[in-house]
Amino acid sequence: MVPALRKAFNEAFTRQRYDAFLTDLRSRYPGAIEFRIAETPVFVPADFSQLLQEACEHIIDVILEPRFKEWTQRAIPPQDEVARENDHPHFLVFDFGVCEDGQGGWQPQLIEMQGFASLYGFQVYYPETLRRHFSIPANYSQFLNGLDHDSYLTLLRDTILGDCSPENVILLEIKPHEQKTRVDFYCTRDYLGIQPICLTELIQEGKQLFYKHPATGKKTLIRRIYNRLIFDELHTAAATLPPGFADIRQDLDVEWVAHPNWFYRVSKFTLPFLRHPFVPSTWFLNELKQPPADLENYVLKPLFSFAGQGVIIDVSPQDLDVSDPENWILQRKVKYAGLIPTPDVPAKAEIRMMYLWPDGAPRPTLAINLARLSKGKMIGVNYNKDREWVGGSVGFFQR
């Protein structure tokens, strides 16, 4: 997206430098990075950054609407609703595909969004490692809104810890040390001092939760939970877990960061409420008067799934005949641009804008980002097998 920087990076790239970078990246947390790391970052110019932020702020305005909770109550499956929901999500992430604008430039198009945490720890560690092996201009950064390494970690600490001591805050997951994103858990532990804890390790006494601290073995009160657990995964894994683990949907004396209900409220369910040039037209399937004539230009998505599961890319009229149309959305397809030259075919890019929203703040703060590169129909491992110059990446934004 910045031709001079792209040309310089590609010309200086060698397989040896890339391999040395990966060796360095993996050295701190051996075996913890299972996903593919792309060969290149994305260089994001200031004008495109402004377009991204404009779209994000529009979405945040909608989330701040007084009736937003009323509009999105149906998004929460009754069996997964958790007590003590707070006023706002502590995290907001917005995924944008980079597309051609029809005038020789680029424009963002929203793909998905979530009121749930992302790789807020790894996206500090990984770009800083990348800089040791490749030449990245000093006026380009993964941090946004004027933040740097120290001020970003201060904001992250304020968001996740609040007024609690690190020992009274946990990162909650199912089998955290087996998750593909566990490297982010370890980065977060090292930056903030909080431990990744499995749901089955919670100790409940009345309304209070405790855990045994891995370093000391001491039973420790939990005041705040940095939630990385997704109920879909819990339902799938339940049969393989030991019986008798705590039911976290109860009214418990804990604060949630972010509260699990926001995972559902800020999601694909929110898309039909948005009207913006950088948000593809989206309808709840049950509210669609008649299918669009150019159905081939739309994608059908189930509301209650994640990681691309159940998405129908090439939609036929028969696909619209579902038993629960209120639980599906029809969204205009986004045509990613092949914008990053690589040794074979150009790569497509998706940029995730990542916000932090501490308690008491009137609005969230745009803080950091990640990027993903693809050469398949969709972003994701299954669509990019045996490809190079694809995978997890980062946007270096012009200051």
Side-chain angles (χ1 to χ4, degrees):
M1 297 178 70
V2 182
L5 293 183
R6 171 53 52 204
K7 183 174 186 292
F9 184 94
N10 284 23
E11 288 177 349
F13 179 88
T14 66
R15 175 60 52 179
Q16 291 74 21
R17 293 180 75 177
Y18 175 62
D19 289 343
F21 154 64
L22 290 181
T23 298
D24 189 5
L25 186 68
R26 293 166 176 160
S27 63
R28 185 183 296 183
Y29 307 106
I33 302 176
E34 289 190 15
F35 50 90
R36 192 178 196 283
I37 303 294
E39 283 80 347
T40 180
V42 180
F43 297 106
V44 183
D47 57 353
F48 192 80
S49 173
Q50 186 61 40
L51 298 181
L52 286 165
Q53 293 181 55
E54 175 190 322
C56 291
E57 293 302 315
H58 165 75
I59 301 167
I60 291 167
D61 286 342
V62 173
I63 294 168
L64 283 167
E65 284 282 342
R67 296 180 60 193
F68 183 76
K69 280 194 174 185
E70 177 187 334
W71 297 340
T72 57
Q73 186 58 35
R74 188 175 69 82
I76 307 170
Q79 70 275 15
D80 292 338
E81 189 163 7
V82 177
R84 299 201 183 194
E85 182 179 339
N86 62 343
D87 292 335
H88 64 75
H90 292 85
F91 312 99
L92 287 171
V93 302
F94 306 121
D95 293 342
F96 292 90
V98 182
C99 307
E100 295 179 1
D101 66 1
Q103 301 174 13
W106 315 109
Q107 67 174 6
Q109 286 289 318
L110 183 69
I111 306 299
E112 289 198 15
M113 54 197 292
Q114 63 184 41
F116 187 75
S118 187
L119 305 184
Y120 285 92
F122 184 66
Q123 291 305 115
V124 180
Y125 167 66
Y126 147 60
E128 291 178 350
T129 306
L130 191 147
R131 282 185 181 275
R132 293 200 290 269
H133 296 269
F134 296 95
S135 178
I136 308 297
N139 64 326
Y140 281 76
S141 175
Q142 79 268 33
F143 302 111
L144 297 158
N145 238 349
L147 298 172
D148 59 17
H149 174 96
D150 291 344
S151 58
Y152 169 79
L153 288 180
T154 296
L155 179 61
L156 185 67
R157 187 175 296 109
D158 290 345
T159 303
I160 294 178
L161 300 186
D163 61 357
C164 298
S165 299
E167 67 173 8
N168 298 121
V169 182
I170 64 165
L171 185 158
L172 184 66
E173 243 293 16
I174 306 162
K175 301 179 180 178
H177 303 291
E178 298 178 18
Q179 294 288 335
K180 286 188 177 181
T181 53
R182 62 187 179 274
V183 66
D184 179 67
F185 306 164
Y186 302 152
C187 291
T188 304
R189 177 195 62 199
D190 292 350
Y191 289 133
L192 304 185
I194 67 175
Q195 299 294 327
I197 299 296
C198 181
L199 172 66
T200 61
E201 297 173 310
L202 299 180
I203 303 164
Q204 183 175 353
E205 296 180 4
K207 287 190 174 185
Q208 292 186 321
L209 293 177
F210 300 83
Y211 73 106
K212 287 188 178 179
H213 196 286
T216 65
K218 175 186 173 185
K219 188 174 82 168
T220 305
L221 176 68
I222 300 169
R223 292 184 55 203
R224 201 164 166 99
I225 294 175
Y226 175 33
N227 184 46
R228 302 298 295 270
L229 182 152
I230 295 173
F231 276 105
D232 276 7
E233 290 185 341
L234 175 58
H235 298 325
T236 300
T240 68
L241 299 176
F245 54 83
D247 183 353
I248 57 173
R249 297 168 298 182
Q250 300 175 72
D251 183 8
L252 298 167
D253 289 336
V254 295
E255 299 171 357
W256 290 95
V257 189
H259 192 283
N261 292 355
W262 285 104
F263 173 81
Y264 296 105
R265 292 190 186 280
V266 182
S267 65
K268 293 189 289 288
F269 194 94
T270 315
L271 293 171
F273 298 103
L274 305 176
R275 296 289 181 268
H276 191 276
F278 302 147
V279 178
S281 300
T282 307
W283 298 272
F284 292 113
L285 194 54
N286 66 315
E287 296 180 359
L288 190 66
K289 303 295 185 191
Q290 63 180 51
D294 57 341
L295 192 57
E296 68 277 7
N297 292 321
Y298 289 79
V299 60
L300 188 63
K301 296 181 178 181
L303 287 173
F304 303 112
S305 72
F306 66 101
Q309 295 181 11
V311 173
I312 300 174
I313 301 173
D314 299 312
V315 185
S316 68
Q318 292 74 28
D319 293 321
L320 303 182
D321 186 18
V322 298
S323 60
D324 57 342
E326 70 279 4
N327 294 327
W328 292 78
I329 56 171
L330 189 68
Q331 180 182 21
R332 190 164 187 85
K333 279 182 181 177
V334 169
K335 186 177 181 182
Y336 292 76
L339 77 160
I340 298 180
T342 80
D344 46 26
V345 298
K348 307 165 188 174
E350 187 172 286
I351 298 173
R352 173 171 290 183
M353 306 290 274
M354 299 162 59
Y355 282 74
L356 293 169
W357 199 342
D359 293 333
R363 290 180 76 91
T365 297
L366 178 58
I368 204 165
N369 81 96
L370 64 77
R372 293 183 292 181
L373 304 187
S374 173
K375 295 179 180 178
K377 277 190 174 183
M378 288 178 65
I379 302 287
V381 174
N382 292 338
Y383 297 90
N384 289 278
K385 290 179 179 177
D386 305 318
R387 302 287 191 112
E388 295 186 336
W389 291 66
V390 299
S393 184
V394 64
F396 283 116
F397 281 65
Q398 185 179 12
R399 290 285 194 177

